[in-house]
Amino acid sequence: MRRLHLFEFEDLGWVPAFIRDGVTDFLEFAVVKTPLYDGIAPLLSSSISQSGAGRVVDLCSGGGGAWSRLYEECLPSGLNVTLTDLYPNQAAFERAAGASAGRIRGKVEPVDATRVDEALPGFRTLFSSFHHFRPENARAVLLDAVESGSPIAVFESTQRHVLLLLYMLLVPVIVLLVTPFIRPFRLSRLVFTYLLPIIPLMVAFDGFVSCLRTYSVGELESMVASLPSNDFDWQIGLSRIGSLPVGVTYLVGSPRQTACDSSNVGIDLGV
């Protein structure tokens, strides 16, 4: 299936903040309440520990859900996570900070993942967001990490697979069922979920498009190979969900002096 770079509503600057936040609140809830990223936790934890980084900088964080679930298992003692986004969800960042006793904190100023400020050094992570970038911009995200000497880990829970495309047809129903359990309570979330079902339809549309935009393992390998000569080692593969043919695609790059054995490139965690 060929990659299609269609638009997602979440990327559009004119979408009202309360609608965008309603979408990211659902995505945060879905990630926190399910073991979606649990399979890659050992890889992430070991990569952060071996990097020697002083903190984690999460790019394109949305609601920060992945780190809200993973921080206890994956963060070495003494390290914190800084959540960032081009359109920061400040309320979600504050909730993550409270739930993690301050180990997760958000930056309220917009951060461009293709040009991260030098004042934000650390181990960079992206969860379910790399597909938002066109190939030239996705490559720029990796190049910026390489040029700054920053370890980087990319994880994508969507794939160009018919099984996930069919699943997205069920997403509006799932949003309708779980919305009463999403906290904090927002009247706007109820209005635009049940009276005007903009949020469930937007989540489903963006999820369907996300599958079509997600880079394959082979495309990630080609992207890394196109980078200028660098001293990074890369691990690229697919962590499967049980016996299913789908899972979490991952790319982890670390400066060679702190990296894992480069023979791991292309491994399948087989989770």
Side-chain angles (χ1 to χ4, degrees):
M1 189 182 301
R2 184 171 63 89
R3 181 180 185 273
L4 298 176
H5 195 90
L6 307 175
F7 80 92
E8 292 184 45
F9 284 103
E10 191 179 352
D11 294 340
L12 303 178
W14 53 261
V15 173
F18 58 88
I19 296 292
R20 188 191 312 280
D21 290 350
V23 172
T24 57
D25 285 349
F26 167 77
L27 297 176
E28 177 192 7
F29 179 87
V31 170
V32 170
K33 299 298 182 181
T34 65
L36 182 61
Y37 286 114
D38 288 8
I40 55 84
L43 172 64
L44 178 59
S45 178
S46 64
S47 298
I48 294 173
S49 296
Q50 293 174 24
S51 74
R55 70 169 162 183
V56 172
V57 178
D58 191 55
L59 305 171
C60 308
S61 298
W67 273 115
S68 294
R69 183 177 178 94
L70 294 174
Y71 80 94
E72 290 184 314
E73 181 176 356
C74 295
L75 272 187
S77 178
L79 260 65
N80 295 327
V81 176
T82 299
L83 304 177
T84 72
D85 203 285
L86 192 60
Y87 303 106
N89 185 337
Q90 186 173 353
F93 290 178
E94 291 173 353
R95 291 197 301 274
S100 65
R103 295 198 69 190
I104 302 174
R105 300 175 183 176
K107 184 175 176 61
V108 297
E109 297 81 11
V111 173
D112 183 347
T114 65
R115 296 188 300 274
V116 179
D117 195 308
E118 293 180 357
L120 281 174
F123 189 107
R124 300 179 184 180
T125 59
L126 295 93
F127 289 91
S128 296
S129 55
F130 198 64
H131 62 270
H132 287 272
F133 299 96
R134 293 183 179 275
E136 61 273 19
N137 292 329
R139 182 178 179 276
V141 171
L142 301 180
L143 183 60
D144 188 68
V146 168
E147 291 182 337
S148 67
S150 303
I152 185 169
V154 173
F155 302 103
E156 292 279 6
S157 61
T158 50
Q159 290 174 260
R160 302 196 310 265
H161 194 285
V162 65
L163 188 62
L164 288 179
L165 293 174
L166 291 174
Y167 167 76
M168 292 303 166
L169 298 178
L170 301 176
V171 165
V173 176
I174 295 173
V175 176
L176 292 173
L177 291 175
V178 306
T179 290
F181 305 100
I182 299 176
R183 295 292 182 271
F185 171 84
R186 295 181 193 274
L187 180 60
S188 62
R189 186 190 299 125
L190 297 182
V191 170
F192 292 101
T193 296
Y194 297 107
L195 296 182
L196 296 172
I198 294 175
I199 291 175
L201 293 176
M202 187 181 297
V203 171
F205 179 89
D206 282 5
F208 193 90
V209 171
S210 292
C211 291
L212 298 177
R213 296 169 87 179
T214 301
Y215 295 98
S216 67
V217 168
E219 288 164 341
L220 292 174
E221 290 173 342
S222 298
M223 193 179 297
V224 165
S226 74
L227 296 174
S229 179
N230 62 76
D231 62 350
F232 268 47
D233 283 328
W234 300 91
Q235 300 178 72
I236 302 171
L238 176 68
S239 172
R240 297 182 185 274
I241 301 175
S243 60
L244 294 177
V246 296
V248 175
T249 306
Y250 62 85
L251 175 151
V252 180
S254 301
R256 188 156 291 131
Q257 62 271 23
T258 59
C260 303
D261 185 350
S262 61
S263 64
N264 287 334
V265 174
I267 63 173
D268 188 329
L269 293 182
V271 176

